[in-house]
Amino acid sequence: MLHKYGTPAYRLEAHLMTLADGLGLRSSFIISPTSMTFVLWTEGHEDEYTHAARVEPGDLDMGSLSRTDDVVDLVLGGELSVEEAQLRLDEIEFMPNPYGRLATGFSFALSGCAFAMLMNTSWNNALWSGLLGIVVYLFILWSERSKGIANMLEPLVAMMSAMGACAIAAYLDPGINIRLAVLSSIIVLIPGLALTIGLQELSARHLVSGTAKIMDAVMMLFKLYFGAFVGVEMGQLMFGEVEFVQSELLPPWTAWLAIFTLGCSLIIAFRTRRRHIVWSLLIGFIAYGSSHYAALSFDLGIGAFLGAFMVGIYGNLFSRLANAPAVIVTMQGLIVLVPGSKTFISLNSYIAGEGFASAETAGQQSLIILMSLVAGLIFANSALPPKKSL
């Protein structure tokens, strides 16, 4: 279940070994995004129990992750038996979304608006990005009922979002920045966090899991780019090309409003428990503020490094004070850092057709920023070691 809720492989293996030790078992675990192998034995006995399972990558669910961690603590403390813990885990697995589908759809709109605002666009672009984000969510709901839609979800939503943006430009608002609106509306699907976690796992020498996550993220980027490219071409063919009319840009203070908006959307999307909401909102401001001002004083790489360092320190403090997994808040902080430090400028350059030279420079910047995020987390864990393995 911890694997299903988005726990990185190296943290999950360490956590499972801690649990096995608490139950008086010797253990070895190998975790990858699509498989799990367990080997269990007792001291002084040669008989081993080996179990291998094929698993599907899950979605980030910080509420269920927190509840599962509580069950583990009760088992280690002797307050729950293994049988009772299994019943609790079954309850957690089938627990409905505490926020509901309507609020989740609203979170897609908020995330699209927030990303557009962080990209220093105009109010009308932020509004259209949010509305297109709702379109993306409707297709995600459809994919839950249709296997065919689920198989082609990423390119399909990017294509429909692009065609919708072209229609808006032709009939409603020539001031919409089509490519930026498309990028903002599908931002929830762009695997910036997966790339960061994959690099972090590689740095922890979890080579199989890290490589698999990076390649999966790259393939998802390709699918999203292909859908966006085809959608823009088809939209312009159907509705005609419209001359872009530049609208008044947002004032600088709206970036902080965007961070608050993005934080609220992530709380809903991650199903964060109510007792962790304030912690989750605060880390967004800490992450963006530290990275933004460090980038102004130095460069984007140093800004990303300092932002990730502050996220890691804050997450480990949260783990000690709230007695909960640090990953609950660090995941949210990292997501704020990725668009805040313009990691997606490479994809934006390709979609905007700015040429290979511009895109190559943007790609180098993105790689430096991603590596800076990983380095910042490593230094943070050395400066203030986490209380929990998760």
Side-chain angles (χ1 to χ4, degrees):
M1 290 179 66
L2 291 173
H3 179 277
K4 176 182 176 181
Y5 300 142
T7 308
Y10 67 97
R11 287 184 178 269
L12 179 54
E13 289 182 9
H15 192 67
L16 290 175
M17 292 187 71
T18 301
L19 177 59
D21 291 342
L23 296 174
L25 298 173
R26 303 297 299 276
S27 61
S28 179
F29 302 94
I30 301 176
I31 309 294
S32 77
T34 56
S35 65
M36 305 177 73
T37 303
F38 295 3
V39 181
L40 302 172
W41 70 97
T42 55
E43 189 68 36
H45 293 77
E46 296 181 357
D47 294 336
E48 294 180 348
Y49 172 77
T50 303
H51 177 74
R54 172 71 163 82
V55 294
E56 293 294 334
D59 298 322
L60 294 175
D61 187 340
M62 299 297 107
S64 297
L65 178 67
S66 172
R67 293 181 179 92
T68 304
D69 182 69
D70 290 343
V71 172
V72 172
D73 288 341
L74 292 174
V75 171
L76 293 177
E79 299 179 41
L80 275 183
S81 66
V82 175
E83 293 76 14
E84 292 172 330
Q86 183 62 54
L87 293 176
R88 291 277 188 95
L89 293 177
D90 290 340
E91 293 175 2
I92 294 172
E93 183 176 9
F94 296 105
M95 188 176 295
N97 186 341
Y99 294 100
R101 289 187 171 183
L102 185 61
T104 304
F106 186 59
S107 74
F108 274 67
L110 289 179
S111 62
C113 288
F115 183 79
M117 293 166 68
L118 284 173
M119 295 296 286
N120 193 30
T121 183
S122 57
W123 284 115
N124 62 319
N125 276 298
L127 174 63
W128 293 124
S129 298
L131 291 176
L132 291 173
I134 294 178
V135 174
V136 171
Y137 179 66
L138 292 177
F139 274 92
I140 291 177
L141 290 179
W142 189 8
S143 70
E144 295 176 358
R145 299 176 177 270
S146 171
K147 187 175 181 180
I149 296 297
N151 290 335
M152 59 178 182
L153 178 63
E154 291 85 2
L156 179 63
V157 295
M159 183 173 66
M160 297 307 298
S161 178
M163 293 177 65
C166 291
I168 292 171
Y171 298 113
L172 298 175
D173 183 8
I176 182 176
N177 185 329
I178 294 175
R179 293 170 178 84
L180 178 59
V182 173
L183 186 61
S184 300
S185 65
I186 62 175
I187 196 64
V188 292
L189 299 176
I190 291 180
L193 180 61
L195 285 170
T196 304
I197 294 175
L199 289 172
Q200 193 175 2
E201 290 184 346
L202 286 178
S203 69
R205 304 197 65 80
H206 284 253
L207 305 182
V208 174
S209 180
T211 303
K213 284 185 178 178
I214 289 175
M215 292 308 300
D216 180 59
V218 170
M219 290 306 301
M220 185 173 289
L221 280 174
F222 286 163
K223 290 187 286 185
L224 289 169
Y225 166 69
F226 173 78
F229 176 78
V230 172
V232 170
E233 294 297 321
M234 290 181 61
Q236 291 180 345
L237 182 64
M238 294 170 60
F239 307 113
E241 293 191 36
V242 179
E243 183 177 353
F244 175 64
V245 179
Q246 178 65 57
S247 303
E248 182 180 358
L249 298 180
L250 295 173
W253 63 266
T254 56
W256 299 102
L257 176 61
I259 292 299
F260 176 77
T261 304
L262 183 60
C264 292
S265 70
L266 292 176
I267 286 170
I268 298 172
F270 289 173
R271 305 181 183 183
T272 303
R273 300 176 76 174
R274 286 178 171 81
R275 67 186 188 188
H276 299 147
I277 286 179
V278 175
W279 291 94
S280 298
L281 285 175
L282 284 177
I283 198 171
F285 292 101
I286 293 172
Y288 182 78
S290 56
S291 64
H292 176 69
Y293 290 111
L296 291 178
S297 302
F298 302 99
D299 60 20
L300 289 177
I302 298 298
F305 170 80
L306 184 59
F309 179 80
M310 295 301 295
V311 165
I313 293 293
Y314 181 90
N316 292 339
L317 280 174
F318 164 79
S319 178
R320 292 169 180 268
L321 297 176
N323 192 32
V327 70
I328 291 175
V329 293
T330 55
M331 287 293 185
Q332 185 151 335
L334 286 174
I335 287 181
V336 171
L337 280 176
V338 171
S341 54
K342 302 185 187 302
T343 304
F344 297 132
I345 191 174
S346 179
L347 181 61
N348 197 25
S349 297
Y350 279 114
I351 294 177
E354 295 175 1
F356 287 102
S358 173
E360 181 180 357
T361 301
Q364 292 173 353
Q365 290 180 346
S366 298
L367 181 59
I368 291 173
I369 290 171
L370 286 170
M371 293 304 299
S372 298
L373 293 177
V374 174
L377 292 174
I378 292 173
F379 276 75
N381 288 332
S382 299
L384 183 65
K387 179 183 178 181
K388 289 176 171 284
S389 52
L390 288 181

